[in-house]
Amino acid sequence: MEEQLDKIEEQHLDWLSVLNEFYGPFKKDLENAGKEMKHAKAETTPSEYTCPKCGKPLEYRFGKNGKFLSCTAYPDCKFANPVDKNGKMLVAEVTEHKCPKCGKAMVKKSGRFGVFLGCSDYPNCKTIMKVDKTGAVLPPSPPPEPTGIKCYKCETGELVVRQSKKGPFLGCNKFPRCRTIVSFKKIEELKDLQAKGQWPPKTLDKADEMLGRAKKTAAKKTKKESEE
């Protein structure tokens, strides 16, 4: 194909005929591939392990996090277990902690945010506990505190007090659908404005102005225009 493209440039060959000559067989190959190729997640490989829940054989499957073991009786049995890079089953470390919801043992697990404790009866029970670097269980995060202040972006949510490493802030209770964030320092001012019927404003620009963001937005626009 590359040689033909060079000839089109050098010898002025008819590029349409060259393209049709290539695309005809390519289209057939593409259609055959769509019919015959199997999706990676649909492929399974037998394993030496048996399901600890129902006794059926376990098989290797591929998911978004890579290879894992799954029960061949799925979906009747939803047992799944991670494996190491060699395909060896990883045995969950049972801890002394009990699930506050179902009373089953909590086991140590690893996720994208690090180590945590999960209920051994997962997926029937999805309780998790956060732990620190030493493995000690951290107290649960306090629930968001309602403020009664309406969210100016989605207009259906309410700003609630949330906690972060840097301290409290105001966020919409419709998160993650609405990702509004407002400084906690504005809480009393916004309550007062809402009591006077001045909050939420009719436009986002007006909201930015009332929140003291208008100057920052204008500065960003000026900087972007100067760079262009």
Side-chain angles (χ1 to χ4, degrees):
M1 183 64 184
E2 187 176 350
E3 292 179 1
Q4 290 176 310
L5 291 174
D6 290 337
K7 289 181 179 180
I8 291 174
E9 183 180 2
E10 297 171 1
Q11 302 177 17
H12 306 290
L13 292 180
D14 183 7
W15 65 272
L16 280 175
S17 61
V18 174
L19 186 62
N20 288 329
E21 183 180 345
F22 163 78
Y23 187 71
F26 175 75
K27 184 180 179 182
K28 290 182 180 180
D29 292 339
L30 194 63
E31 291 175 350
N32 291 333
K35 295 176 182 178
E36 298 174 4
M37 288 181 66
K38 293 182 179 180
H39 195 284
K41 290 185 178 181
E43 293 185 358
T44 61
T45 306
S47 77
E48 59 185 281
Y49 302 102
T50 55
C51 179
K53 287 192 173 182
C54 69
K56 296 289 180 66
L58 294 178
E59 59 187 3
Y60 292 108
R61 287 181 175 270
F62 283 91
K64 62 180 181 179
N65 295 321
K67 197 175 185 180
F68 69 99
L69 285 168
S70 175
C71 185
T72 52
Y74 179 86
D76 295 327
C77 178
K78 297 182 179 180
F79 175 81
N81 202 89
V83 297
D84 62 17
K85 61 181 181 180
N86 297 317
K88 186 177 180 180
M89 178 189 282
L90 295 175
V91 180
E93 181 182 341
V94 180
T95 69
E96 60 183 7
H97 302 285
K98 300 294 182 182
C99 176
K101 288 186 178 180
C102 69
K104 299 288 181 66
M106 300 293 286
V107 296
K108 188 178 290 186
K109 296 186 176 184
S110 295
R112 59 177 179 169
F113 297 115
V115 178
F116 66 96
L117 300 184
C119 183
S120 57
D121 195 32
Y122 179 88
N124 296 321
C125 180
K126 298 181 179 180
T127 302
I128 61 171
M129 294 179 177
K130 295 180 180 179
V131 296
D132 60 18
K133 294 181 179 180
T134 65
V137 176
L138 296 172
S141 302
E145 180 184 342
T147 64
I149 303 171
K150 295 180 181 179
C151 177
Y152 69 94
K153 281 189 179 179
C154 68
E155 299 181 349
T156 58
E158 174 188 328
L159 297 182
V160 294
V161 180
R162 298 182 182 274
Q163 300 294 330
S164 71
K165 293 180 180 179
K166 296 181 179 180
F169 67 95
L170 300 179
C172 184
N173 65 349
K174 297 295 183 180
F175 179 85
R177 291 185 178 180
C178 179
R179 298 177 179 270
T180 300
I181 294 178
V182 178
S183 171
F184 180 73
K185 296 177 182 179
K186 294 286 184 179
I187 184 170
E188 296 301 328
E189 181 182 345
L190 294 182
K191 284 183 178 180
D192 184 54
L193 288 171
Q194 185 165 282
K196 295 177 181 179
Q198 299 174 7
W199 184 270
K202 294 182 179 180
T203 65
L204 295 180
D205 288 340
K206 183 63 178 177
D208 285 338
E209 182 182 340
M210 296 172 73
L211 293 171
R213 296 174 177 172
K215 293 182 179 180
K216 294 182 180 179
T217 304
K220 287 182 180 179
K221 288 182 179 179
T222 304
K223 183 179 179 181
K224 186 176 181 181
E225 289 173 357
S226 63
E227 290 176 351
E228 293 176 350

